[in-house]
Amino acid sequence: MENINKNRLFIASCMALLVTSMTFAIRARLETVFGPEGVGLTLEQIGYAFGPAFYGFTIAMIIGGPLVDTLGIKKITWAAFIMHAIGIVWTIMAKDMTSLFTATLFVGIGNGLVEAALNPMIASMYPENKTKMLNRFHVWFPGGIAIGGILGWLVMDVAGLSWQIMVALLFIPLIIYAFLFFGQKFPVTERVQMGVSSSKMWSSLGKPLFIFMVFCMLLTAASELGTTQRIESLLKESGTVPLLVLVFINGIMAFGRAFAGKVIHRLQPSGMLLFSAIFTFIGLWLMTITSGAMTFAAAGVFAVGITFFWPTMLGFVAEYLPETGALGLSVMGGAGMFSVSIVLPIMGRLMDDGGTIEALRTMSILPAILIFAFIGLYVYMKKRNKTTT
């Protein structure tokens, strides 16, 4: 790690993730711009138009994962910058479902390349504190959604300015992360450091524990991002400002991830995941029976649940399955985003046909399954740790 400025690279990584996360908040606000009361798209059509943000993300991570090892972290990071820049400009010019779909695809690819390059970079720079530092890095996912949500509310709802100005704000963190990465030396991935062969990396993806974690990632990501991406429609009749509820949720998540170290030490990753599944399930059900100010209380419970899902899933794989390398982290992230691309139009149809309560109750099935899955994981890891000590 000689001649590598870890602090600068970490800050630059956080800014890159800030761009990624702000696109999620801004996309949530654009649902009303392009929806039935705006451009005129149905909620199901909106789901399809926003889908590329997630399967574009998936494609970028699956392709970018192995390329991080061969081409290097630096080249994948700059590819992310180019995709982000194109996607932001295209979004500003979007006028219909096709142009919105295309813009969202470029943004999704950029977001996926950010995760494909920077998750393994952070795991490589901080080998003794992977889960802790990945949680700190991912503070900027909910943090960015909170920032994007507040800016969207201020620009459109308070100042009454155009949605294009809201989208253009993404150029600020985009330029900052380009400046911070410029001229820096990047580390190699942990798999390259360990000397793990490509064949061993690929074979490790077939381990039962890894397959189990991929399955769980499908459900954790859909529970978290499927819900928050459709927050405008889900809470439009709750008597609240949905975008402020989104800010509230992500504020709690950012705070929790910033201080994740002590929680990780006490619960261990498998215990954190079980804790998260329980609170996510309770939070989703509470949102079906609350309104007005109490919606924030229900959303708070939900936020506590989803806070540690994404970074802890990645941290678990980085700690207990390091031989899967950057590809393993990319498969995990890609699987999560792919599941969201599937669930968004399904949620749209549920809301079109049965209403928001029906959609929330259906979504609560996912964390209910995870509770049982993570009980099994917790028991398995306890037995495994005993045999290795």
Side-chain angles (χ1 to χ4, degrees), residues 20-67:
T20 294
S21 56
M22 283 180 67
T23 66
F24 280 76
I26 287 171
R27 192 179 306 117
R29 185 64 180 86
L30 289 179
E31 180 160 324
T32 56
V33 173
F34 286 87
E37 297 176 2
V39 173
L41 301 180
T42 68
L43 295 177
E44 185 177 3
Q45 286 176 319
I46 288 285
Y48 283 115
F50 285 170
F54 302 96
Y55 57 73
F57 191 114
T58 301
I59 293 169
M61 290 201 73
I62 299 302
I63 295 175
L67 290 180

Side-chain angles (χ1 to χ4, degrees), residues 44 106 145 187 199 234 300 305 326 343:
E44 185 177 3
F106 277 105
I145 292 177
S199 59
L234 287 169
V343 83

Side-chain angles (χ1 to χ4, degrees), residues 59-80 109-124 186-193 198 201-202 324-331:
I59 293 169
M61 290 201 73
I62 299 302
I63 295 175
L67 290 180
V68 166
D69 289 323
T70 55
L71 296 180
I73 295 170
K74 184 175 184 178
K75 290 181 180 178
I76 302 301
T77 301
W78 284 112
I109 292 173
N111 292 349
L113 291 176
V114 164
E115 291 264 352
L118 302 183
N119 283 322
M121 185 181 79
I122 290 168
S124 177
F186 287 68
V188 297
T189 63
E190 192 175 26
R191 182 184 75 80
V192 174
Q193 289 179 18
S198 295
M201 176 187 70
W202 284 100
T324 60
L327 179 60
L329 294 177
S330 292
V331 169

